[in-house]
Amino acid sequence: MGRRIGLLPEISGSTEVLATLIDVWSSPEVVEILINLSETSHFRKVRILLDVPLQQCPEYLLLALSQIKVERGTLLIDELLTILMTTFLGNHPNSIPVLRKLWEMNQELMIRSICELCRHDKKIMNLSRVLDIT
């Protein structure tokens, strides 16, 4: 397992989260394996397992997701991206550094997520917020 997102010092609260937790969930390979497992009978177990990074280090989970390439597991990926992008396109304290890094790593994902959120819930994303982000 080689690729890692790495600790981002501009993300507040990172020091409060265990380094091992960040180390695991900043690995695109780990996330990719779990996403692939979600296409089997293990969907619920994988989804429950992902509650930990969703709560403790969502920044690193989002950035790891932005780096994976899978052909299966799109149901889980879509669910995770909806949760994570809604969080970071809102008023999360780490929105700016995370979105900046996401833009640097995967512009297509960010554009697609903004479009999806605008299409489904106009309250979450309005034009002024999109302009602030971009």
Side-chain angles (χ1 to χ4, degrees):
M1 303 225 177
R3 309 180 279 158
R4 292 252 186 261
I5 303 304
L7 189 63
L8 301 172
E10 63 272 14
I11 293 179
S12 64
S14 292
T15 54
E16 298 161 13
V17 179
L18 292 173
T20 52
L21 191 61
I22 291 173
D23 193 43
V24 169
W25 296 112
S26 67
S27 169
E29 289 90 355
V30 169
V31 174
E32 191 170 316
I33 289 167
L34 289 170
I35 295 298
N36 285 326
L37 274 174
S38 76
E39 280 294 308
T40 67
S41 60
H42 301 292
F43 180 89
R44 288 211 43 74
K45 291 176 186 173
V46 170
R47 179 58 187 87
I48 289 168
L49 181 63
L50 289 167
D51 281 340
V52 172
L54 280 169
Q55 294 170 7
Q56 298 294 317
C57 55
E59 301 87 351
Y60 294 95
L61 179 59
L62 175 60
L63 296 174
L65 277 169
S66 77
Q67 296 299 291
I68 66 172
K69 305 284 187 240
V70 293
E71 295 176 17
R72 304 178 326 166
T74 56
L75 180 65
L76 183 56
I77 290 173
D78 289 346
E79 179 183 343
L80 293 172
L81 287 175
T82 298
I83 293 166
L84 291 164
M85 291 304 290
T86 301
T87 299
F88 291 107
L89 290 170
N91 291 324
H92 191 279
N94 289 325
S95 288
I96 299 302
V98 169
L99 294 175
R100 225 178 252 142
K101 187 69 172 176
L102 180 61
W103 181 258
E104 178 184 308
M105 296 170 77
N106 192 334
Q107 293 176 6
E108 182 183 323
L109 175 67
M110 189 162 165
I111 291 168
R112 186 171 40 112
S113 297
I114 289 172
C115 291
E116 283 297 311
L117 287 173
C118 285
R119 196 176 90 203
H120 292 295
D121 192 348
K122 305 243 186 281
K123 292 177 189 170
I124 293 174
M125 290 299 300
N126 57 42
L127 184 57
S128 64
R129 181 66 179 141
V130 171
L131 293 173
D132 286 346
I133 292 166
T134 56

